[in-house]
């Protein structure tokens, strides 16, 4: 029905108040859609009921945790995806999945519009709307917070005026987005880049300065995908969950950055991503063992471009899909075991092995009887250096 709008619903203040605001501003009935990407917290049945209590005509909850892990986190891990070399794309990876379900739900209901609770300052507005446009270009996107000037103080006042079941206060300090891949925290306090993060803002990681014995863990990969921990096979979702607990205990995965947002401003963010940081460290090390030198070198540039595209909301774009094909091909032989030591906020690789390894002991050893013919090195260097030598003669002559 075209007189409906499907709202990406989180259960928080902005999207709860947004139900009434959307209805008042558009005259349309609101369908609330909550997508479970492993964010934890409240029971989703409670979130579903809250949407109905806030005025939604229908409230839908989708369990997308395994889909998120298999179809979004696996490609990200294969690409060692880190935006600006630091941020493991915690929020950026979940948005195209949520947008996909948003668009599909709208199509199934015959609605002509979708909505989200993003502000005009952030990246997520772009990610949601660009993804929806790529999946269902005929749908219209509405953002109450951005388009209807729904500020926080107005939202709180609206919730109180209409007696909405929202437990929020103007003094709540943290703005948090989280899923199974990690947790993103923004606060008024952190908006000054000089201020250090307070320990109480962390939830996925324990204080790495507290003395504790290190843990050792072996992660098994098959064609770039982690499939087992210490010999016990798990789904991708379970691997991430297990490593969140193991690495999080040692404070692994805390990231404090000033990043460049897509909308042109710099933003100070604090992230926690214990499993993501540990898995990327392990995966990169296995690639060092199994990928050819030129493939590995070229892939590093592709990884940066891949992360930029995802951060910029172009998950469903043509270039991203083409890079996926390249990355997938590089993973054919990325199979083996990586041993990690987790301790003091770090995940350190201490061992690697693979049946697909390109490491040749007979070539690498410095012991007598090695297979490397050192006599060939002199001629190789002469040829390798020839362009530099010729250019140097020219430069010196001038």
């Amino acid at each position: 029905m075209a007189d409906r709008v499907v709202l990406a619903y989180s259960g928080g203040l902005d999207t709860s108040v947004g139900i009434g605001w959307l209805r008042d501003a558009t005259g349309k009935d609101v369908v609330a859609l909550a997508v479970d990407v492993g964010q934890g917290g409240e029971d989703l049945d409670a979130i579903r009921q809250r949407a109905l209590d806030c005025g939604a005509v229908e409230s839908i909850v989708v369990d997308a945790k395994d889909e998120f892990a298999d179809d979004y986190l696996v490609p990200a891990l294969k690409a060692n995806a880190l935006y600006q070399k630091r941020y493991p794309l915690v929020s950026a990876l979940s948005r195209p999945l949520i947008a996909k379900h948003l668009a599909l739900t709208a199509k199934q209901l015959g609605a002509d519009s979708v909505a989200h609770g993003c502000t005009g300052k952030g990246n997520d507005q772009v990610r949601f709307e660009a993804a929806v446009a790529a999946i269902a270009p005929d749908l219209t996107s509405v953002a109450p917070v951005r388009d209807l000037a729904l500020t926080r103080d107005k939202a709180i006042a609206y919730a109180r005026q209409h007696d909405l079941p929202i437990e929020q206060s103007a003094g709540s300090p943290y703005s948090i987005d989280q899923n199974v891949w990690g947790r993103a925290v923004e606060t008024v306090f952190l908006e000054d880049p000089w201020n250090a993060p307070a320990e109480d803002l962390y939830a996925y990681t324990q204080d790495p300065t507290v003395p504790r014995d290190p843990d050792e863990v072996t992660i098994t990969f098959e064609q770039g995908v982690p499939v087992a921990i210490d010999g016990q096979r798990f789904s991708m979702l379970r691997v991430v969950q297990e490593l969140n607990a193991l690495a999080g205990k040692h404070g692994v995965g805390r990231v404090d950055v000033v990043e460049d947002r897509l909308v042109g401003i710099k933003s100070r963010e604090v992230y926690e991503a214990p499993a993501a940081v540990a898995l990327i460290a392990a995966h990169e090390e296995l690639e060092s063992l199994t990928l050819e030198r030129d493939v590995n070198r070229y892939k590093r540039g592709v990884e940066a471009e891949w992360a930029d595209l995802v951060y910029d909301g172009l998950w469903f774009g043509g270039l991203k899909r083409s890079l996926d094909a390249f990355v997938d091909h590089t993973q054919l032989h990325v199979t083996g075991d990586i041993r990690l030591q987790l301790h003091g906020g770090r995940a350190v690789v201490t061992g690697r092995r693979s049946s697909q390894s390109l490491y040749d002991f007979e070539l690498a050893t410095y012991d007598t009887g090695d297979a490397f013919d050192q006599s060939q090195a002199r001629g190789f260097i002469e040829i390798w250096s020839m362009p530099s030598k010729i250019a140097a003669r020219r430069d010196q002559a001038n």
Side-chain angles (χ1 to χ4, degrees):
M1 293 177 288
D3 58 348
R4 286 188 171 190
V5 55
V6 182
L7 170 67
Y9 185 67
S10 69
L13 174 67
D14 289 342
T15 53
S16 293
V17 171
I19 292 172
W21 277 62
L22 276 170
R23 184 185 59 235
D24 296 343
T26 66
K28 297 181 179 181
D29 290 332
V30 179
V31 175
L33 173 69
V35 181
D36 185 358
V37 287
Q39 60 266 42
E42 280 191 291
D43 180 84
L44 285 174
D45 286 333
I47 291 176
R48 177 194 286 115
Q49 186 58 50
R50 180 178 303 130
L52 295 173
D53 293 341
C54 288
V57 296
E58 190 173 350
S59 185
I60 302 169
V61 172
V62 176
D63 183 348
K65 293 191 294 294
D66 279 300
E67 181 184 5
F68 184 46
D70 295 338
D71 298 345
Y72 293 79
L73 302 188
V74 165
L77 179 57
K78 288 180 177 180
N80 298 315
L82 295 169
Y83 178 65
Q84 296 185 328
K85 300 181 181 179
R86 301 284 304 282
Y87 167 45
L89 300 172
V90 169
S91 299
L93 287 167
S94 72
R95 298 326 188 213
L97 171 59
I98 296 170
K100 170 190 167 185
H101 284 282
L102 197 63
L104 292 178
T105 300
K107 284 292 190 182
Q108 290 168 359
L109 296 177
D112 63 358
S113 56
V114 296
H116 57 78
C118 304
T119 72
K121 282 189 176 183
N123 301 302
D124 284 340
Q125 56 177 334
V126 182
R127 295 166 182 158
F128 277 123
E129 295 184 30
V132 169
I135 300 168
D138 53 326
L139 290 177
T140 301
S141 292
V142 182
V145 176
R146 181 193 67 200
D147 301 338
L148 304 178
L150 179 56
T151 60
R152 185 175 181 80
D153 56 337
K154 290 181 180 178
I156 292 172
Y158 186 95
R160 289 172 177 166
Q161 178 185 351
H162 293 81
D163 198 25
L164 299 182
I166 308 299
E167 295 181 3
Q168 285 280 356
S169 70
S172 179
Y174 299 126
S175 173
I176 300 170
D177 179 66
Q178 62 190 42
N179 57 53
V180 73
W181 198 233
R183 187 168 177 267
V185 182
E186 294 177 305
T187 76
V188 173
F189 179 72
L190 289 176
E191 287 174 357
D192 181 349
W194 185 251
N195 289 334
E199 187 63 31
D200 68 356
L201 67 79
Y202 295 106
Y204 283 15
T205 56
Q206 297 182 36
D207 187 347
T209 65
V210 174
R212 54 175 64 89
D213 293 334
D215 280 322
E216 204 168 70
V217 60
T218 298
I219 303 171
T220 300
F221 291 84
E222 292 178 358
Q223 296 191 333
V225 182
V227 296
I229 298 174
D230 291 334
Q232 185 172 357
R233 293 186 71 89
F234 293 118
S235 67
M236 177 62 179
L237 175 62
R238 184 72 182 277
V239 165
V240 174
Q241 291 170 331
E242 292 290 321
L243 282 174
N244 273 336
L246 287 168
K249 183 177 77 170
H250 293 277
V252 173
R254 293 186 174 187
V255 182
D256 180 357
V257 295
V258 174
E259 69 187 45
D260 291 309
R261 285 186 177 178
L262 176 58
V263 295
I265 62 177
K266 289 187 181 291
S267 173
R268 199 277 188 87
E269 309 279 345
V270 173
Y271 300 104
E272 297 180 275
V277 168
L279 283 169
I280 289 172
H283 181 257
E284 282 186 327
E285 194 67 25
L286 186 57
E287 287 186 325
S288 295
L289 196 66
T290 57
L291 294 186
E292 301 94 321
R293 175 175 178 261
D294 57 346
V295 174
N296 209 7
R297 176 185 290 179
Y298 190 82
K299 184 172 181 285
R300 295 297 171 252
V302 171
E303 290 170 357
E305 181 68 24
W306 193 97
D308 285 349
L309 291 170
V310 174
Y311 185 89
D312 292 348
L314 297 175
W315 178 274
F316 296 108
L319 177 56
K320 154 70 170 49
R321 292 198 301 269
S322 295
L323 295 184
D324 280 336
F326 167 80
V327 171
D328 280 342
H329 189 269
T330 67
Q331 302 301 292
L332 294 177
H333 302 293
V334 184
T335 295
D337 299 319
I338 296 293
R339 187 176 64 239
L340 287 175
Q341 185 185 77
L342 307 172
H343 187 242
R346 301 176 64 209
V348 179
V349 174
T350 62
R352 67 286 280 164
R353 63 189 177 194
S354 171
S355 62
Q356 305 297 306
S357 173
L358 298 178
Y359 182 90
D360 188 326
F361 175 83
E362 297 300 326
L363 290 172
T365 183
Y366 285 88
D367 291 344
T368 301
D370 68 297
F372 189 89
D373 185 354
Q374 297 190 46
S375 67
Q376 296 180 359
R378 184 179 183 87
F380 165 75
I381 295 170
E382 287 290 331
I383 294 174
W384 183 255
S385 305
M386 190 179 301
S388 298
K389 184 182 291 186
I390 295 170
R393 287 172 179 166
R394 177 202 62 196
D395 295 343
Q396 291 170 6
N398 293 332

